[in-house]
Amino acid sequence: MKDKKIDCSKTKVSISEMVLPNHTNNLNTLFGGKLMYWMDMAAGICAYKNTKKIAVTASVDNISFKSPVYKGDIVTINAFITRVFNSSMEIYLEVTTQNRKTGKSIISNNAFFTFVTLDKNSKPVKSIEVQPKTEEERKLYDGALRRRQLRLILAGKMKPEEADELKSIFN
Ligand SMILES: CC(C)(COP(=O)(O)OP(=O)(O)OC[C@H]1O[C@@H](n2cnc3c(N)ncnc32)[C@H](O)[C@@H]1OP(=O)(O)O)[C@@H](O)C(=O)NCCC(=O)NCCS
């Protein structure tokens, strides 16, 4: 029997943290490495909850820090699976920061993480399948193949000439 596909929206997990003094840098704003840790944790929980398998971080796409996050702010990270290939899955993360003084929330960061599911011998193993339903999910699903090829080229795991989705960029 074929495995059932999970709707992308059903793979979503959300974690929140309050920025405490031990999370900050010398400017009293959130230390970037701490945010990356929380993002990796959210993506890892998302991968595990949905696959019920051991999953490791294979790569992290570009993370930009658009605005400082202050002590006392609430950071919320939403993560969901955009597309699963074979053993690897792309997870989209959106970070929202709520300012303690104004109560205003902004999207402060977003990023794509790739996780790979492993079997008990730590070998990559086929993961679940997901299906996009909304327009946003479909856009992310379609773009995932392009992003996968780009990250595999950057990791030295694919030759540019094999990247059919990226032909217009490289040729
Ligand atoms: C990620 C890892 C399991 C890949 O193993 P590998 O032997 O290179 O396996 P393969 O080349 O067969 O690739 C397996 C999958 O990983 C994907 N992959 C490998 N390197 C990748 C990269 N840099 N970026 C994105 N995907 C990658 C492949 O595309 C493939 O996906 P698919 O099965 O969906 O087609 C391995 O490199 C590893 O264990 N890395 C360390 C992970 C780690 O410790 N993370 C941090 C702590 S959690």
Side-chain angles (χ1 to χ4, degrees):
M1 198 177 76
K2 257 194 122 187
D3 282 344
K4 218 172 137 248
K5 291 187 181 178
I6 307 174
D7 292 354
C8 294
S9 61
K10 298 228 167 84
T11 68
K12 184 171 156 185
V13 302
S14 183
I15 65 169
S16 291
E17 296 278 350
M18 180 186 277
V19 180
L20 297 174
N22 63 327
H23 301 143
T24 60
N25 56 28
N26 293 338
L27 295 169
N28 271 335
T29 60
L30 177 61
F31 178 56
K34 194 72 202 176
L35 180 62
M36 291 192 274
Y37 168 84
W38 287 335
M39 291 170 83
D40 197 26
M41 188 61 81
I45 293 170
C46 179
Y48 177 73
K49 274 187 110 168
N50 288 291
T51 63
K52 311 284 189 298
K53 288 188 169 92
I54 296 167
V56 288
T57 318
S59 68
V60 176
D61 293 10
N62 165 60
I63 302 179
S64 303
F65 299 93
K66 295 174 205 158
S67 39
V69 179
Y70 298 97
K71 195 165 65 181
D73 288 357
I74 305 290
V75 172
T76 299
I77 303 168
N78 289 314
F80 67 89
I81 301 172
T82 58
R83 186 160 177 169
V84 176
F85 293 96
N86 183 35
S87 63
S88 69
M89 76 197 78
E90 182 187 78
I91 299 176
Y92 176 63
L93 292 104
E94 192 169 89
V95 183
T96 306
T97 301
Q98 184 175 19
N99 185 276
R100 181 174 61 99
K101 290 187 183 142
T102 64
K104 215 178 128 204
S105 290
I106 56 157
I107 294 173
S108 50
N109 313 77
N110 44 31
F112 293 97
F113 281 53
T114 301
F115 270 68
V116 174
T117 49
L118 303 178
D119 66 13
K120 55 182 186 319
N121 299 313
S122 299
K123 295 278 171 243
V125 63
K126 185 160 173 46
S127 192
I128 51 156
E129 287 188 41
V130 296
Q131 61 182 356
K133 282 277 171 75
T134 67
E135 200 185 325
E136 188 209 356
E137 287 163 10
R138 263 188 219 106
K139 263 195 209 153
L140 288 167
Y141 183 93
D142 291 342
L145 187 54
R146 208 167 50 240
R147 290 187 294 275
R148 167 186 160 93
Q149 293 188 347
L150 188 54
R151 62 178 78 98
L152 289 177
I153 289 171
L154 294 174
K157 296 209 147 204
M158 182 181 259
K159 292 188 185 127
E161 56 272 24
E162 290 166 1
D164 49 350
E165 288 288 310
L166 301 175
K167 281 218 157 74
S168 56
I169 302 175
F170 286 102
N171 297 325

